[in-house]
Amino acid sequence: MDIHKLTAPLAGVSTEEWVAAIAAAVISFLAIHAGVMLLRRQLCRMAEQGRAEKPYAELLKGTLARTSNLAVILISLLLGLSLLDLAPPWDQRVQHLWFIILGLQLMLYLDRAVTIGTRRYFQQHAEDEAAPSTVANTLVGWAVKAMLWIVFLLAVLSNLGINVSTFVASLGIGGIAVALAVQNILGDLFASLSIAVDKPFEVGDAISVAGTSGTVEHVGLKTTRIRADSGEQIVISNADLLKNVVRNFKRMSNRRVQFSLRVNPATAPALAATIPAALREIIERQQNVRFERVHLKAVTQDALEFELVFYVLNSSYGSYMDAQQAILLASMEKFEQLGVTTNNPAYHLVVDRHAPSGETPRQAPRALKVQPR
């Protein structure tokens, strides 16, 4: 590379012009840096005072925090160079640099503004503003920022004299090929979009899917991470997740509990008739429990089966287990008071070795009889 050829257009600049350009660059840097700092402090005061403009103050304060010191230095240098009478091609190069640097700093501002704005929007429309960011927030922010950066890239290429229309057409053909190659990834991406729109669950929900129960920790663009009840982290692709039935326990307002108690079939009918009322009384004594029904469900040679149905009036699994435990313990105590046993009936085996009349012992089979005691 011929350095003298590149610097030849700058050789005609006098020393006084260079000094003025450097001074202008330094003054510009100090002025821009001081202006940004003062504006950020003013926005902090507005946010702390709780004015009506507080949301906008927080947005502007977070956006200005993305100011690049390198961009400020380059802008100051370009301001100094603008005072010089530059010959081609330096004048065109300076114009291109102006566009790229200012556009890049503007994109940094927009990128931060989109992140803050989308997060604040979804927090305001969420049931719990302190909840973690949802997948909808992630997808919308990612899509808007990707579109802005693509537009900026095309604008830079157009400013540099590149035919953007041909480039866009090439991107379209290449995009089709890439889409065919990564169709599984795109399937997970659209599945995450479906989760964001339909909201079958959100971060923090307790769910059960494909034989796994746990709490949702993160919903990403490709996978969902679940912290299992046993402690390990389970990663499931979004597409596979939506193919299965998802049970969301957090959105359950109450729990329906149904189980059976079996007593000895030798229990007297009059005594068995008192059991449903006794069990109902036990259930109605429990807190946060609504009685539904108690019935004698089945009578077999093995047991009398009583079916209990009640509702726990909250979604807590601990409350459900506490209520069931209290009812079972109280039932055991009540059965003991009534003299009802839950033991299975005892049987004894009788082996008849005598041959039926008219048959020889060799021809007579052994007869096995089971008789209850």
Side-chain angles (χ1 to χ4, degrees):
M1 182 181 294
D2 191 353
I3 303 298
H4 296 286
K5 184 177 180 181
L6 293 175
T7 59
L10 303 176
V13 180
S14 62
T15 304
E16 292 79 5
E17 291 177 341
W18 277 114
V19 172
I22 294 174
V26 173
I27 294 173
S28 300
F29 175 80
L30 295 176
I32 295 173
H33 190 269
V36 172
M37 294 298 295
L38 290 174
L39 184 57
R40 290 182 62 185
R41 290 178 183 176
Q42 182 64 26
L43 292 172
C44 289
R45 293 194 193 97
M46 293 174 60
E48 292 174 356
Q49 291 174 0
R51 298 182 182 178
E53 301 89 351
K54 180 179 178 181
Y56 302 100
E58 292 180 351
L59 177 62
L60 291 175
K61 181 182 68 174
T63 301
L64 287 176
R66 197 64 178 89
T67 302
S68 173
N69 290 329
L70 179 60
V72 174
I73 293 173
L74 294 177
I75 291 172
S76 302
L77 292 176
L78 291 177
L79 286 173
L81 290 176
S82 63
L83 299 178
L84 302 178
D85 187 12
L86 301 176
W90 281 93
D91 55 346
Q92 295 181 355
R93 290 173 181 172
V94 170
Q95 292 178 2
H96 293 325
L97 288 174
W98 269 113
F99 185 86
I100 294 173
I101 294 172
L102 289 178
L104 183 60
Q105 181 58 65
L106 178 62
M107 286 303 305
L108 293 177
Y109 284 150
L110 291 176
D111 187 280
R112 179 60 63 84
V114 168
T115 301
I116 298 174
T118 54
R119 182 175 65 246
R120 184 173 183 82
Y121 174 82
F122 283 98
Q123 285 178 348
Q124 289 178 344
H125 290 77
E127 295 180 359
D128 183 10
E129 294 189 2
S133 298
T134 61
V135 65
N137 184 3
T138 303
L139 284 176
V140 171
W142 179 81
V144 173
K145 289 189 286 187
M147 182 179 65
L148 290 175
W149 281 104
I150 290 174
V151 171
F152 172 68
L153 177 62
L154 294 177
V156 170
L157 294 177
S158 178
N159 184 263
L160 295 176
I162 299 176
N163 189 351
V164 179
S165 59
T166 304
F167 182 73
V168 171
S170 301
L171 285 179
I173 298 174
I176 296 175
V178 171
L180 294 175
V182 296
Q183 54 183 338
N184 291 333
I185 297 177
L186 291 178
D188 291 326
L189 178 61
F190 284 109
S192 65
L193 180 61
S194 176
I195 294 174
V197 175
D198 193 41
K199 294 183 179 180
F201 55 84
E202 294 180 350
V203 175
D205 288 2
I207 67 172
S208 174
V209 57
T212 300
S213 297
T215 304
V216 180
E217 286 190 337
H218 175 74
V219 181
L221 297 178
K222 188 178 188 302
T223 60
T224 294
R225 294 195 286 270
I226 301 174
R227 181 64 60 182
D229 295 334
S230 53
E232 73 273 17
Q233 186 183 73
I234 298 176
V235 181
I236 307 177
S237 68
N238 293 327
D240 293 338
L241 186 64
L242 293 184
K243 291 178 182 178
N244 294 279
V245 176
V246 178
R247 301 174 63 188
N248 194 329
F249 297 108
K250 187 175 181 180
R251 298 179 184 176
M252 181 171 52
S253 59
N254 51 51
R255 287 178 180 266
R256 184 178 186 270
V257 184
Q258 175 179 338
F259 61 88
S260 297
L261 294 177
R262 299 159 61 92
V263 301
N264 195 295
T267 304
L271 182 57
T274 64
I275 294 178
L279 294 178
R280 175 172 184 170
E281 181 183 355
I282 292 173
I283 296 174
E284 290 179 341
R285 287 203 308 261
Q286 309 304 317
Q287 295 182 351
N288 296 323
V289 171
R290 186 179 77 243
F291 172 80
E292 180 68 16
R293 61 181 177 85
V294 175
H295 290 97
L296 177 60
K297 179 182 179 180
V299 177
T300 65
Q301 65 176 358
D302 296 324
L304 303 180
E305 185 175 352
F306 292 88
E307 186 176 65
L308 295 78
V309 180
F310 59 90
Y311 288 88
V312 179
L313 303 181
N314 58 60
S315 60
S316 172
Y317 186 78
S319 299
Y320 151 65
M321 291 300 297
D322 290 341
Q324 180 172 271
Q325 175 181 263
I327 292 172
L328 289 174
L329 292 175
S331 299
M332 293 172 60
E333 183 178 355
K334 191 66 176 179
F335 286 168
E336 185 177 0
Q337 294 175 359
L338 295 175
V340 176
T341 177
T342 57
N343 297 330
N344 291 330
Y347 296 91
H348 65 275
L349 184 65
V350 178
V351 179
D352 188 0
R353 295 180 178 273
H354 298 286
S357 59
E359 295 183 0
T360 63
R362 179 175 299 179
Q363 296 173 338
R366 293 182 178 180
L368 300 180
K369 298 181 182 179
V370 178
Q371 299 177 351
R373 289 183 179 178

